[in-house]
Amino acid sequence: MQKIDIRSLLKNQSLFKEDGFINGNWVQSKTTFDVTNPATDDLIATVANLTSQDAELAIKSAEDALPAWRSKTGKERAIILRKWFDLIVGNTQDLATLMTLEQGKPLPEAAGEVVYGASFVEWFAEEAKRVEGSILETTWSDKRMMVLKQPIGVCVAITPWNFPIAMITRKIAPALAAGCTIVIKPAELTPLSALALAELAQQAGIPNGVINILTADANQSIAIGKTLCASPTVRHLSFTGSTEVGRILMEQCAPTVKKLALELGGHAPFIVFDDADIDAAVSGAMSSKFRNSGQTCVCANRFLVHADVIDDFAAKLAAKVATLPVGYGFEQGAQIGPLIDAAGLQKVQTLVADAVGKGASVVCGGAPDQRGGLYFQPTVIKGVREDMRMMR
């Protein structure tokens, strides 16, 4: 498979990295894993496939960096985080290009995510100055109760592929603002965005060891995850992803009684009552469902529509959905990119076939797009019941 020269597409070529990032150093490995463009199946990077030993080194680096970072004032941390924010915003186009190449979302949508992701850094840079304790009222006249807020210690973040910048900045920024250090395990499908953020963090002056990035394929990710969960040094773990994996991580963290922040699989309903403004409901449905080709944790998973208005709603929704332009993320006007991988495409095909086989009807779409590859037509299916896999 021929490898595409990504650097030629970037103004700031330093943002393209294929090595892990530990203690301020770019770390190679004995083996690598491929990152491909889901829109074209082109090879775009061969990334360091780090190991559990590298994870232990990253934890140690974060532990060693903790005292100096924790001892900085909130204002000092805020100034550095603000520099990181400025660099992220200043490199929006290049970061969006990397994201579209590895994740597949249309370029304008990727650029919007960069700005959205940077906003977390901006917000928590300001919050760093406001980490305040308090004096509490007591029931004893001879005692005073004081609450101090202190960094919990070394943190770990495991992030998904669907928002490869926003999900990382949302976890890193509050940890750093509070005075913690962090180890990040990005999704194996989208490591390039994480590594680019690490490069900008280093340029912003975030000290060595405060941020560490562990890149790994699916198999090595399991070993790295076990190491991160088992370490008594790690005091907090944040994960966004499936309920199944979240349950495993919770179990693995239990022996060391870590603090956990788990954002797991949702099943969000979009409900349309009989007195709804149908045009407004359709507009809301379009905004909710089809961003990032429907691959978002907060998009509507099912539409519950009153029987009196279902025909009107389905017809109007299908008319809008049928006009959504499917295309490569760098093409002008493209709004629906590819699904992330072959497993994602197979899942959609299986769910559609199951629903149709049990009596649901396809109002529009319902098949792979004519572009081939990982593209699937935006689809509306009517008459889905509780016994259909799609409903669950």
Side-chain angles (χ1 to χ4, degrees):
M1 185 184 296
Q2 185 177 358
K3 187 176 178 181
I4 303 300
D5 181 14
I6 288 185
R7 286 189 177 88
S8 65
L9 304 176
L10 304 177
K11 295 178 181 178
N12 183 355
Q13 296 187 358
S14 71
L15 296 183
F16 178 65
K17 302 291 185 184
E18 296 177 289
D19 299 330
F21 186 71
I22 300 175
N23 199 30
N25 299 311
W26 295 102
V27 179
Q28 297 181 348
S29 62
K30 294 180 179 179
T31 62
T32 60
F33 64 96
D34 292 342
V35 178
T36 58
N37 183 339
T40 63
D41 200 35
D42 290 328
L43 176 64
I44 58 175
T46 50
V47 177
N49 196 15
L50 300 185
T51 66
S52 56
Q53 289 73 33
D54 295 309
E56 292 173 354
L57 178 59
I59 294 169
K60 182 65 166 57
S61 299
E63 181 184 27
D64 291 345
L66 180 63
W69 183 250
R70 179 175 55 197
S71 67
K72 288 184 181 296
T73 65
K75 183 176 181 179
E76 288 173 326
R77 293 195 293 269
I79 290 171
I80 297 174
L81 285 171
R82 180 70 198 201
K83 290 179 181 176
W84 191 31
F85 162 78
D86 290 337
L87 285 169
I88 294 172
V89 172
N91 288 273
T92 294
Q93 200 60 32
D94 280 345
L95 291 170
T97 296
L98 284 172
M99 193 189 311
T100 295
L101 285 167
E102 67 175 347
Q103 201 277 335
K105 66 182 61 177
L107 188 62
E109 191 173 334
E113 182 185 333
V114 175
V115 175
Y116 172 59
S119 72
F120 292 114
V121 181
E122 180 184 34
W123 172 268
F124 285 105
E126 295 302 313
E127 288 299 293
K129 308 172 193 176
R130 303 185 179 93
V131 180
E132 300 173 341
S134 57
I135 303 295
L136 304 181
E137 291 293 330
T138 78
T139 56
W140 302 282
S141 60
D142 60 338
K143 294 180 177 64
R144 177 179 295 172
M145 297 176 64
M146 180 171 64
V147 176
L148 297 177
K149 294 185 178 180
Q150 299 175 329
I152 194 170
V154 175
C155 299
V156 160
I158 301 176
T159 59
W161 50 261
N162 57 347
F163 289 92
I165 283 183
M167 292 300 97
I168 286 181
T169 55
R170 194 177 70 164
K171 296 179 188 297
I172 292 179
L176 266 58
C180 300
T181 55
I182 193 165
V183 178
I184 300 99
K185 168 60 189 69
E188 62 270 15
L189 295 169
T190 56
L192 303 183
S193 296
L195 296 173
L197 287 174
E199 168 64 22
L200 294 177
Q202 191 171 46
Q203 292 179 21
I206 293 177
N208 294 345
V210 173
I211 292 177
N212 304 273
I213 308 285
L214 296 171
T215 54
D217 65 11
N219 288 331
Q220 290 285 28
S221 293
I222 294 173
I224 286 176
K226 289 180 179 178
T227 299
L228 297 173
C229 290
S231 171
T233 301
V234 175
R235 301 311 307 149
H236 184 281
L237 183 140
S238 175
F239 170 71
T240 297
S242 70
T243 303
E244 179 183 7
V245 174
R247 186 181 294 114
I248 293 171
L249 294 174
M250 177 181 282
E251 182 179 4
Q252 292 176 350
C253 287
T256 50
V257 198
K258 292 181 185 5
K259 297 283 188 180
L260 292 172
L262 303 177
E263 181 188 16
L264 308 180
H267 194 38
F270 188 105
I271 303 173
V272 183
F273 291 99
D274 57 344
D275 61 347
D277 180 330
I278 299 301
D279 291 331
V282 168
S283 178
M286 295 294 293
S287 299
S288 170
K289 182 60 189 174
F290 290 98
R291 185 163 59 106
N292 197 23
S293 300
Q295 301 172 123
T296 75
C297 57
V298 294
C299 73
N301 286 81
R302 55 211 162 111
F303 290 78
L304 308 178
V305 186
H306 193 282
D308 290 349
V309 297
I310 188 170
D311 291 336
D312 189 21
F313 177 81
K316 289 184 176 180
L317 178 63
K320 288 278 190 181
V321 169
T323 66
L324 287 172
V326 177
Y328 188 25
F330 293 104
E331 294 175 358
Q332 188 72 27
Q335 293 184 35
I336 301 294
L339 297 172
I340 188 63
D341 58 13
L345 178 65
Q346 178 62 38
K347 178 181 179 180
V348 171
Q349 291 177 302
T350 300
L351 292 177
V352 170
D354 174 76
V356 172
K358 293 177 180 175
S361 58
V362 175
V363 186
C364 74
D369 190 75
Q370 61 183 2
R371 299 179 70 99
L374 299 177
Y375 292 94
F376 197 90
Q377 298 171 353
T379 298
V380 175
I381 293 182
K382 183 179 171 185
V384 178
R385 299 191 310 270
E386 287 284 340
D387 63 328
M388 297 176 183
R389 288 182 58 192
M390 181 176 292
M391 191 64 165
R392 300 181 179 277

